[in-house]
Amino acid sequence: MAGDYSINTGVIRTFGPVDYMFFVLTLLVSAGIGIFYAIWDRRRNTPQEFLLGGKKMALFPVAMSLMVTFISAATLLGNPAEMYNYNTMWWYLVVAFIFAIAGACRIFIPFFYNLGITSTFEVDNLLIVAVFKEIVGLLYMAFLLYAPCLALNAVTGLPLWGSVIGMGLIVTFYTSLGGMKAVLWTDTFQAGVIFAGLLAVLIQGSIVMGGFSNAWLIASNRSRIVFDEFDFDPKTRHTVWSMVVGGLFFWVYLYGINQAQVQRCLSCPSVKKAQMALVLNLPGLILIVSFCCMIGIEMFAFYADCHPITFGLVENTDQLLPLFVMDILGHVDGLPGVFLSCVVSGSLSSLSSGLSALGAVTFSDSISFVHCIRLLSVAVGFYGLLAIALAWVVSRLGSVLEAVYVVFGILNGPVLGVITFGMFFPWGNKWGAFFGTMTSLVLLLWIGLGAFFHDVKTPLSATSTTACNWTAKAGITKPNMFDIFVSPPARVLEPLYQMSYMWYTGLGMILVWGPGIVISFLTGFTKPTSIDPRLICPIFDKLFPYLPEKILKPLRFGIVHEGWLK
C-alpha cells in the first residue's frame, strides 16, 4: 500500500505536542471531577453518599457508567485484534449482551435492590466467596492498568511501568476522594471520549481503505468474515453457541451480580430507574463493540499483506491497533491523542468502578467502617496500589482479551454459581454451598491451568508479509514462507484442555449447583418455609409469569413472596 506508512518506512510515527495535550487533559478532567465532589459533598460525607451517591443518582450518568464499566482497554484493543487474528465470530457477543441485560433487569437487580444491601456478597456469608471477590476484582483492575499502558508505550515510547504507576495513582486519587458521584460523572465524560476516539479511527480507516465495503471485501477474501460457525463441539474456540450461550453466562455475572455494576444500579432512587439505566446502556454497549469489530476489519485489510509483528514493528497483537492509529491518523495533530485518551478512558472508567466496588465490599464486610468514611477512602487507596503491583503478574499472560475471559471465566464461574445457588435453591445449606464452590474452582483451575501449561492454543488465521518493505527494517530477516507447522502428539486429556474458554463461567456455575444440591441433602437440607422469603428469588414467576397459578404455586416450594410477584 503506497503512502508514508510504517509497513513502507519501517518507522512508527510518534506523538506530537497536541497529542500529549489531549491525553493529559483527559487525566486532569478525571482527577478534577474527583476533587470537585470531594469538596461539594464534604458536609454529607457518609458511607451511603460515598458508596451509592445517596441513592439519588440521575438516570443518564448511571447508564453511561454501566456502559463503560466493562468497556476497558481489553475491549478497545482486544476486539480489533480478535478480528485481525481470527475472524468475526466474536461479533455474536452482542447477542449475549441482550439476553444478559434482560436477565439482570428481570431477576437480579430487583432481588438485590429490594434487599436494601450495599454489597452483593451480603447475601452469602461464605469466607471463600469473600476471598474470591477480592481476587477477581484486583486481577481485573490489574488487567485494566496494564493494557492501556502497553498501548501508550507502543505509540509514545513512554516507559511502560512508569505509565502503569502514573495511571494507577490518578484513578486511585479521584476515586478515593469523590466516591460514587465522582465515578459516575467521570465515567460519563470518559464515555464521550471513547465514542470520539472510536469514530475518528473508524471514519479515517474507511477513507484510507477506499470505503468500509472495500475493507470488508479484502477481509472476506482472506477468510476473516465468518458468521456461520454452528459447530456443537465445545472445543471449537468461537461458535454461535459458545459466544451467545457461553457469553450469556459471563455477562450475566457482570451485569447480574458483579459488585461494580450492581452498585451503580443501587445508586438509583428506585428499581424501575435502575432497570431503565440498564436498558439505556445496551445500545451504547452494542455500538462500541461493533465499532471495535469494524475497526478490526479495517485494520486487517490495511495490513493484509504485511503482518506488523513478523515485520518487527510491534511485539504483540495488543499493540496492533495503536500502530494502525498512528499510521492512518498520525499526520493529523491531536487525533492520535484523542484515540489514546479513548483507550485510557476505557480503563479509567473500569478501574474507578472496580475500586469503588471493592470499597463497598470492604465496608459491608467490616462493621467498623460504618462510622468512619476516612477508612473507606484508605481502603480504596490500598486496593489501587495493590492493583498496580498485580499489573506485573498479568503482563505475563499473553493476549489481553483472551486472558481476561480465561481468568475471569475460571474465577467468576464459582462465584456466579454460589450466589445463584443461594438465590434459586431454598434447600441449599452452607455445606452444599462450600463444597459446590470448591468443586467448581478446583475443576476449572485444572482445566484452565492444564490448557496453559500444555500450551493449548487455537492456531491464528493466515497472515502475509509479501508487501513489507524489508529493506527499510534493519535487523529483520524476511521469513521463510515454506516453514511447515507440525502439531504435537495428542495427549489423553487434550480434549478437556481444548474446551473453549467461553464455556468456563457457565460450567463453573453448573459445577456449584450439582454437588451443592447433593451435599445439602446429605448433610440436612434447609426447610424452605424456615427461610426469609427475601433471600430466595421466585425464579419461575420471573421467567414464566404467564403460567397458571396452579403450576407456579408448587414451584415456590411453600415460600410466600409478598410484594415480589408484580
Side-chain angles (χ1 to χ4, degrees), residues 201-437:
V201 178
L202 183 61
I203 293 171
Q204 183 62 22
S206 182
I207 293 172
V208 169
M209 294 308 304
F212 181 77
S213 59
N214 187 48
W216 184 278
L217 180 62
I218 294 172
S220 179
N221 291 336
R222 305 293 180 91
S223 302
R224 288 307 195 279
I225 307 300
V226 179
F227 290 106
D228 59 352
E229 182 57 80
F230 289 92
D231 192 352
F232 284 97
D233 186 351
K235 298 193 301 297
T236 305
R237 184 173 183 269
H238 289 162
T239 67
V240 172
W241 317 114
S242 66
M243 295 308 303
V244 175
V245 181
L248 168 64
F249 288 114
F250 187 90
W251 284 87
V252 159
Y253 170 85
L254 294 182
Y255 275 99
I257 69 169
N258 181 274
Q259 177 64 29
Q261 294 292 64
V262 173
Q263 191 176 343
R264 267 135 202 75
C265 292
L266 296 180
S267 70
C268 293
S270 68
V271 174
K272 184 169 288 188
K273 286 290 181 68
Q275 292 170 324
M276 290 174 62
L278 272 173
V279 172
L280 185 61
N281 111 95
L282 179 59
L285 184 66
I286 292 175
L287 204 59
I288 288 176
V289 171
S290 296
F291 282 173
C292 289
C293 292
M294 293 168 71
I295 289 170
I297 292 169
E298 292 178 347
M299 183 172 72
F300 172 78
F302 185 85
Y303 296 117
D305 292 315
C306 184
H307 184 37
I309 296 177
T310 305
F311 192 44
L313 291 170
V314 293
E315 296 180 358
N316 60 60
T317 57
D318 297 314
Q319 294 177 321
L320 286 173
L321 183 57
L323 175 69
F324 178 59
V325 169
M326 296 310 299
D327 271 331
I328 67 172
L329 291 176
H331 65 287
V332 183
D333 286 343
L335 283 185
V338 171
F339 164 75
L340 188 60
S341 297
C342 155
V343 175
V344 170
S345 291
S347 279
L348 287 178
S349 62
S350 301
L351 278 164
S352 61
S353 301
L355 288 172
S356 179
L358 283 174
V361 169
T362 304
F363 162 65
S364 65
D365 289 345
S366 304
I367 193 169
S368 60
F369 279 8
V370 173
H371 302 293
C372 192
I373 193 65
R374 291 184 180 178
L375 288 180
L376 278 170
S377 298
V378 171
V380 169
F382 169 75
Y383 287 129
L385 295 176
L386 193 54
I388 293 173
L390 285 173
W392 181 86
V393 176
V394 305
S395 70
R396 326 305 296 176
L397 297 179
S399 173
V400 171
L401 183 68
E402 184 167 340
V404 166
Y405 275 79
V406 169
V407 172
F408 297 112
I410 292 172
L411 295 177
N412 292 349
V415 177
L416 176 63
V418 73
I419 295 294
T420 53
F421 179 75
M423 289 175 59
F424 302 151
F425 297 95
W427 320 278
N429 62 23
K430 63 179 181 180
W431 297 112
F434 175 78
F435 283 104
T437 303

Side-chain angles (χ1 to χ4, degrees), residues 78-98:
N79 283 15
E82 174 69 26
M83 301 297 107
Y84 185 97
N85 288 327
Y86 295 99
N87 54 53
T88 53
M89 286 302 300
W90 180 263
W91 213 331
Y92 273 107
L93 192 66
V94 298
V95 181
F97 293 162
I98 298 172

Side-chain angles (χ1 to χ4, degrees), residues 401-565:
L401 183 68
E402 184 167 340
V404 166
Y405 275 79
V406 169
V407 172
F408 297 112
I410 292 172
L411 295 177
N412 292 349
V415 177
L416 176 63
V418 73
I419 295 294
T420 53
F421 179 75
M423 289 175 59
F424 302 151
F425 297 95
W427 320 278
N429 62 23
K430 63 179 181 180
W431 297 112
F434 175 78
F435 283 104
T437 303
M438 293 306 298
T439 300
S440 176
L441 179 63
V442 169
L443 290 178
L444 283 180
L445 281 174
W446 177 30
I447 295 171
L449 293 176
F452 178 79
F453 287 114
H454 288 89
D455 199 27
V456 175
K457 295 179 180 177
T458 302
L460 302 178
S461 297
T463 56
S464 172
T465 56
T466 56
C468 294
N469 182 12
W470 294 97
T471 59
K473 196 67 175 171
I476 301 294
T477 304
K478 188 174 182 178
N480 182 3
M481 302 305 294
F482 298 99
D483 288 343
I484 299 174
F485 173 76
V486 180
S487 299
R491 305 175 181 89
V492 175
L493 295 176
E494 193 83 7
L496 183 63
Y497 300 148
Q498 288 176 339
M499 182 178 64
S500 172
Y501 61 91
M502 293 302 299
W503 292 111
Y504 284 2
T505 302
L507 177 62
M509 183 186 71
I510 294 171
L511 289 173
V512 173
W513 287 4
I517 293 172
V518 172
I519 295 297
S520 293
F521 275 92
L522 290 177
T523 57
F525 66 90
T526 303
K527 293 182 179 180
T529 53
S530 67
I531 302 174
D532 182 346
R534 298 181 306 154
L535 298 177
I536 299 296
C537 175
I539 184 67
F540 294 102
D541 289 273
K542 292 290 185 180
L543 295 179
F544 311 107
Y546 301 108
L547 286 178
E549 179 65 16
K550 65 180 181 180
I551 294 177
L552 289 174
K553 185 175 181 179
L555 293 176
R556 298 179 193 132
F557 309 105
I559 300 175
V560 179
H561 298 282
E562 295 182 3
W564 282 77
L565 307 182

